[in-house]
Amino acid sequence: MLQSILIPMLLGFSIFMCGMKLMELALHQLAGPYLTMMLRRSTATPVHGLAIGTATTAFLQSSTAVTVISIGLVNAGLLTFPRTLGIILGTNIGTCLTTELIGLNLNKLAIPIMIVSIGVWLLTALTGEVKLLPWLRHLAPKLNPIRSASVVLCGFGLLLTGMAMMQSIGPAVQQSDMFNWFIGKADDSLWWGIAAGALLTAAVHSSAAVIGLVMGFTAIGAMPLEIGIAVVLGANIGTCFTAMLASIGGSKAGQYVALSHVLLNAGGALLFLPFLPELSNLSEWLSESPAGQIARAQTVFNILSSLLALPFCYLPALRGLDPQK
């Protein structure tokens, strides 16, 4: 069990998270000067906030990062709580891009992607070395965005590599008694799947990693699609844990932002739970591959949850709510 499950799992998870953080940091470097200004100036209405939250989350590849930034802006008094409501809805839509990319099964392209990205990074880095390429020195500032983009590409390659390593443990996990016990319990009640997804995501601080594992299990037939979707719904609840931690010790408005994130994800999961068979059938219709079906289910769930919650953001009671620090 140690060699067949734990070591590949931990190694794959480490590589996956390294890739995620590399992408997040590089993308933040590209958009950092504009991100805070955009969140402050472009959230006049919940619809605007939803659009900005979707775009920034899709760009940064991290709903948690955008949510934590929003909490920080609210705590600093630079953004009011009502203006964050649309952003929170948008983060759930924007985060679907990561799972959709994972669902494309691009694992075979991981090594070529990293080779190309490292080559581009080295080429742009050499322009800053006057002794090696002095005639290209004037191009160095213009190539900085390309260098950051190459780091993003390398992070994506690492993400795919880590995901492939984690998914490789599927056959060994399928033979374990604990996994079979869990599948039996989840067959009786899908609440087990939701609880497992929430706890795993809260523990590893990455819903994408948990959803990627579910994709691997469903791809080899180890996990039924409905249970896999239940775990995905739970992962959406578990991703709120980091935001709740970030709100501790902050203003009451910042705590309201984290609470609204929990209410959206937990409320959406409870709302969709009775309709899991229909969501499963829809995802099967939208994609033929098991991994794609999990990704479609995540996308449909997040989009519908956000759109259903959007009208409530216009309620006068919420629009006028602006708790003091």
Side-chain angles (χ1 to χ4, degrees):
M1 182 177 177
L2 180 65
Q3 293 182 348
S4 61
I5 296 180
L6 291 181
I7 293 178
M9 176 67 185
L10 292 175
L11 184 58
F13 177 73
S14 299
I15 296 175
F16 177 90
M17 291 305 297
C18 179
M20 283 286 289
K21 288 301 178 183
L22 201 61
M23 291 176 64
E24 183 181 329
L25 291 173
L27 288 169
H28 200 282
Q29 184 176 1
L30 282 170
Y34 314 101
L35 181 60
T36 301
M37 179 180 65
M38 189 163 43
L39 289 176
R40 290 176 57 190
R41 295 184 178 180
S42 305
T43 56
T45 67
V47 169
H48 287 100
L50 184 143
I52 293 300
T54 299
T56 52
T57 302
F59 186 80
L60 288 182
Q61 294 287 293
S62 175
S63 61
T64 301
V66 177
T67 303
V68 170
I69 290 172
S70 299
I71 291 173
L73 291 174
V74 170
N75 286 337
L78 301 176
L79 196 66
T80 62
F81 165 68
R83 283 178 171 248
T84 65
L85 293 173
I87 297 175
I88 298 301
L89 300 184
T91 58
N92 275 18
I93 298 177
T95 195
C96 297
L97 178 62
T98 304
T99 51
E100 288 289 348
L101 289 174
I102 295 173
L104 293 176
N105 293 322
L106 302 175
N107 295 344
K108 295 181 180 179
L109 299 178
I111 300 301
I113 286 175
M114 285 191 287
I115 292 174
V116 170
S117 63
I118 292 173
V120 172
W121 187 89
L122 287 174
L123 183 62
T124 55
L126 286 175
T127 60
E129 296 293 334
V130 181
K131 294 180 180 179
L132 295 177
L133 299 172
W135 62 90
L136 293 178
R137 184 183 181 186
H138 66 284
L139 294 177
K142 298 179 181 179
L143 293 177
N144 284 336
I146 298 178
R147 187 185 306 179
S148 296
S150 69
V151 176
V152 174
L153 198 60
C154 184
F156 183 62
L158 287 172
L159 182 150
L160 293 177
T161 301
M163 187 58 62
M165 293 183 67
M166 287 192 290
Q167 291 179 349
S168 69
I169 69 173
V173 170
Q174 188 177 7
Q175 297 175 3
S176 68
D177 294 334
M178 182 177 293
F179 183 79
N180 291 322
W181 174 85
F182 165 73
I183 293 296
K185 290 290 186 180
D187 274 333
D188 295 333
S189 174
L190 292 174
W191 283 101
W192 284 90
I194 290 180
L199 291 174
L200 283 174
T201 303
V204 303
H205 296 278
S206 174
S207 60
V210 174
I211 295 172
L213 276 177
V214 172
M215 289 179 181
F217 291 149
T218 55
I220 64 173
M223 181 178 288
L225 181 60
E226 282 192 24
I227 295 178
I229 295 176
V231 176
V232 168
L233 298 188
N236 278 270
I237 298 174
T239 195
C240 302
F241 183 68
T242 306
M244 292 298 294
L245 287 178
S247 69
I248 295 175
S251 66
K252 185 177 292 186
Q255 293 170 3
Y256 278 15
V257 176
L259 181 60
S260 65
H261 193 204
V262 175
L263 290 176
L264 170 65
N265 288 10
L270 293 176
L271 180 64
F272 272 80
L273 184 59
F275 303 101
L276 272 186
E278 288 75 16
L279 183 57
S280 176
N281 292 333
L282 178 60
S283 63
E284 287 179 330
W285 180 73
L286 291 173
S287 177
E288 296 182 357
S289 70
Q293 291 164 5
I294 294 294
R296 295 304 102 75
Q298 157 88 344
T299 300
V300 170
F301 164 72
N302 280 355
I303 291 177
L304 289 182
S305 294
S306 293
L307 293 181
L308 288 173
L310 182 61
F312 293 96
C313 298
Y314 285 90
L315 292 175
L318 286 178
R319 296 293 291 165
L321 186 61
D322 190 14
Q324 298 295 319
K325 291 184 179 180

